[in-house]
Amino acid sequence: MILGIDPGFASCGYALLSPVKGERESDLCFTSVGVVRTQKTQKKIPLWEDNARRTGDLYGSLKTVLVSETDSIAPVLFAIEAESWTRMPSDKLLGMARGAIYSLAFERGGAVEQYGPKELKKEFCGTGSASKTQLEEKLIVLHPELEEFLNRLPKTQRSHAADAAACAVYAQRNSNYARILRAARCSL
């Protein structure tokens, strides 16, 4: 299984590629796609306390996705969109989101790989400067089931889930770890 993630503190996209039952062992399809949202509290509490709560919410929500969609022993590859550091104040929040994701990967014993946005766009669209819409369209051609998941999301959240899906499909195609998982499944 491959969990694609587009890290974000307020909006974190995820897409889970799982083996298809009854098909070839190497085939995977999307079984869960969405966006985890964290909200600032309306109460007067210190910012660090609110950020800690939101980090916990993100961790818990992603863990719930894995628990509800996988068994406890299934190996999971975490395919994460790499950061493009901008040195903005929001970078520390992105770092907190990444900490939650890496903690979950460590807890599950999962491998972690990162892919840059331009690398993903070049893989699917032929150019690193492709638009998010072009990327989404190419992914839907490859995995038609993705469209139904994306249509359930608000327009402002679709790109987060589509970016996560791109990470998962890229990992399926290019990751050495994914090749090892496929070989192990075929030998069983």
Side-chain angles (χ1 to χ4, degrees):
M1 287 176 215
I2 302 170
L3 179 62
I5 300 178
D6 176 26
F9 196 62
S11 297
C12 179
Y14 67 87
L16 186 65
L17 266 177
S18 300
V20 178
K21 302 231 188 291
E23 300 289 326
R24 293 183 328 212
E25 286 294 321
S26 62
D27 289 343
L28 299 175
C29 74
F30 287 104
T31 57
S32 184
V33 177
V35 176
V36 173
R37 306 262 305 149
T38 66
Q39 301 290 327
K40 289 182 180 180
T41 185
Q42 300 301 317
K43 299 176 185 173
K44 297 232 180 216
I45 62 172
L47 182 60
W48 65 266
E49 188 177 321
D50 192 41
N51 287 344
R53 178 196 54 81
R54 291 174 71 191
T55 302
D57 290 349
L58 177 59
Y59 171 88
S61 295
L62 289 173
K63 185 173 183 175
T64 298
V65 168
L66 281 178
V67 168
S68 66
E69 295 291 330
T70 67
D71 63 42
S72 62
I73 61 169
V76 177
L77 169 61
F78 288 72
I80 304 169
E81 187 174 74
E83 66 273 276
S84 52
W85 293 109
T86 58
R87 303 203 186 282
M88 301 292 287
S90 62
D91 287 351
K92 68 180 178 185
L93 298 177
L94 183 56
M96 294 172 81
R98 287 186 162 295
I101 294 162
Y102 279 77
S103 294
L104 182 58
F106 177 77
E107 179 183 286
R108 285 295 301 247
V112 175
E113 295 189 4
Q114 294 187 78
Y115 311 108
K118 288 185 179 188
E119 184 179 11
L120 297 169
K121 290 176 181 179
K122 186 169 174 107
E123 173 79 12
F124 299 109
C125 302
T127 176
S129 61
S131 71
K132 287 187 176 280
T133 302
Q134 289 171 308
L135 178 62
E136 185 179 314
E137 290 168 354
K138 294 290 185 180
L139 290 168
I140 289 171
V141 168
L142 295 170
H143 284 274
E145 76 278 8
L146 181 60
E147 186 170 25
E148 184 179 336
F149 287 110
L150 295 176
N151 285 340
R152 295 179 194 160
L153 298 170
K155 288 186 180 199
T156 58
Q157 301 301 309
R158 283 178 68 115
S159 66
H160 298 297
D163 287 351
C167 288
V169 175
Y170 186 92
Q172 178 190 19
R173 289 179 168 188
N174 299 297
S175 166
N176 285 329
Y177 185 77
R179 284 187 198 103
I180 292 167
L181 291 177
R182 280 193 299 274
R185 276 197 313 271
C186 290
S187 69
L188 294 177

